[in-house]
Amino acid sequence: MTRDRFSYLAPWWLPGGNAQTIWAARAARRHFGPAPRWQRSRWDTPDGDFIDVDEALHASAPQAPLLVLFHGLEGSSASQYAVAFADFAAAHGLAYAVPHFRGCSGEINHAPRAYHSGDFSEIDWILRRFAHENPSRPLLAVGVSLGGNALMRWAGEMEQSATQLVCAIAAVSSPLDLAAGGYAIGRGFNRVVYTRMFMGTMVPKALQKLEQHPGLFKREALLAARDLYEFDNLFTAPLHGFRDTVDYWTRASAKPVLHRIRVPALALNARNDPFVPAASLPTLQDAGPSVTLWQPAHGGHVGFPVSHGPFGLPGHVRAMPEAVGNWLLAQL
């Protein structure tokens, strides 16, 4: 088990976690090769619902590894990190796929549920289907933010049996202590910028869900919700079997099960991540012998932009996928 092996230095013109987060998401270069092209498939879920899976169309050898990316809150295959990992996969000859959590592919799902940070059973059946459909390919998985917590929670729950499905996993900028992250995003600048951004898509989708399933929750109460704590209390927690937000954040967090992980696992968290307080990050004592911790001082939330081109602009976000992807490949 190691720590601080990701050597990252933020560009001088992007001081602080918020700048590094926002630039990476809005303005940084995402790929050096051609933009990824996708083939979409619809998978029926075990409970009669569906998810949409985007598979990159670049060439890969029949026995090359398959890299599966689980996106973050309200993310998709169009998110900057998903595109950057697609660029890494194409450059290294890897097959690459992005399964969308329910309701995140551009079409609302059918069931009276959505997705959540601790949905390890969803991770399990997705990975099992990838393994079944790609028996000649070693399977690698990376989860970003919410997707990383769910992936690490899966590995902790599965323990040794996870090694039968995947060769290695990684979590990037994941709030492994959901309560710490949830409270942090509901305060100050985070509340004004990030909470408003997430609520701007989550609330309309929840209202669509109410149209599908009248009586699922109280519309007026949801419209009055002003942060993720209130939203999770009214929507996420009760729809997915949790008593309330506190119960959800406690039971869904991956940090308490890190010591049970047996597959090679990497957790990368910048210590200036505005969503994930540094004091909440796992320590060597929290993580088991299979878990590697990278906790650089800078990077923001899924940021890690790097200077590139004349005068250090416009900057790119390939450094993080390169480091994480090469770590995953080194575990094969």
Side-chain angles (χ1 to χ4, degrees):
M1 181 168 53
T2 59
R3 183 172 176 172
D4 288 331
R5 294 291 299 277
F6 177 39
S7 171
Y8 173 75
L9 181 64
W12 63 267
W13 44 271
L14 282 177
N18 287 310
Q20 292 155 23
T21 299
I22 295 170
W23 179 272
R26 300 295 185 187
R29 183 175 182 176
R30 304 175 179 198
H31 55 88
F32 294 123
R37 295 181 300 114
W38 305 102
Q39 177 175 296
R40 175 161 292 187
S41 302
R42 179 154 292 184
W43 291 5
D44 294 329
T45 66
D47 60 350
D49 202 358
F50 73 89
I51 65 166
D52 289 325
V53 177
D54 284 353
E55 297 181 73
L57 289 173
H58 61 253
S60 63
Q63 297 191 357
L66 168 61
L67 176 61
V68 177
L69 181 136
F70 293 98
H71 63 76
L73 183 65
E74 295 299 274
S76 71
S77 61
S79 297
Q80 91 275 8
Y81 51 82
V83 173
F85 269 105
D87 197 44
F88 169 84
H92 291 266
L94 311 179
Y96 179 68
V98 180
H100 291 86
F101 291 121
R102 303 194 198 197
C104 290
S105 64
E107 183 176 340
I108 199 72
N109 62 303
H110 301 318
R113 58 153 293 170
Y115 65 103
H116 66 87
S117 296
D119 203 353
F120 61 86
S121 60
E122 191 90 329
I123 299 289
D124 188 61
W125 82 264
I126 291 173
L127 289 175
R128 289 183 185 279
R129 176 155 176 174
F130 275 121
H132 176 74
E133 294 185 354
N134 299 271
S136 65
R137 296 187 185 275
L139 191 58
L140 304 169
V142 58
V144 176
S145 196
L146 174 148
N149 182 82
L151 179 61
M152 297 292 262
R153 183 61 194 266
W154 168 80
E157 293 289 340
M158 297 298 107
E159 300 189 24
Q160 189 63 36
S161 63
T163 63
Q164 299 171 14
L165 281 181
V166 297
C167 297
I169 64 172
V172 177
S173 298
S174 296
L176 304 174
D177 179 338
L178 291 172
Y183 288 123
I185 202 171
R187 297 189 181 114
F189 180 86
N190 289 352
R191 183 184 181 94
V192 173
V193 177
Y194 306 120
T195 294
R196 183 175 296 177
M197 176 189 69
F198 287 130
M199 295 287 281
T201 58
M202 293 165 64
V203 169
K205 288 201 296 188
L207 294 177
Q208 283 185 273
K209 188 60 59 183
L210 185 62
E211 291 180 6
Q212 287 180 322
H213 302 277
L216 197 60
F217 55 83
K218 294 183 178 179
R219 186 175 188 274
E220 296 75 14
L222 187 83
L223 290 173
R226 291 294 176 263
D227 57 28
L228 296 186
Y229 182 97
E230 294 176 359
F231 181 89
D232 285 347
N233 216 40
L234 292 161
F235 183 82
T236 312
L239 262 64
H240 301 102
F242 301 98
R243 185 179 62 252
D244 53 23
T245 297
V246 173
D247 183 47
Y248 164 41
W249 287 355
T250 300
R251 290 169 51 200
S253 292
K255 186 176 178 180
V257 301
L258 292 181
H259 67 283
R260 291 162 49 187
I261 292 176
R262 296 295 178 265
V263 68
L266 169 67
L268 167 59
N269 294 93
R271 299 188 71 82
N272 70 345
D273 188 330
F275 297 4
V276 184
S280 72
L281 295 180
T283 66
L284 297 177
Q285 289 70 40
D286 295 316
S290 298
V291 179
T292 295
L293 302 178
W294 285 354
Q295 296 176 358
H298 304 282
H301 188 75
V302 202
F304 307 102
V306 177
S307 294
H308 178 74
F311 309 106
L313 295 172
H316 67 81
V317 290
R318 263 293 303 276
M320 180 272 288
E322 193 78 26
V324 172
N326 281 325
W327 184 91
L328 289 168
L329 290 175
Q331 311 311 308
L332 294 176

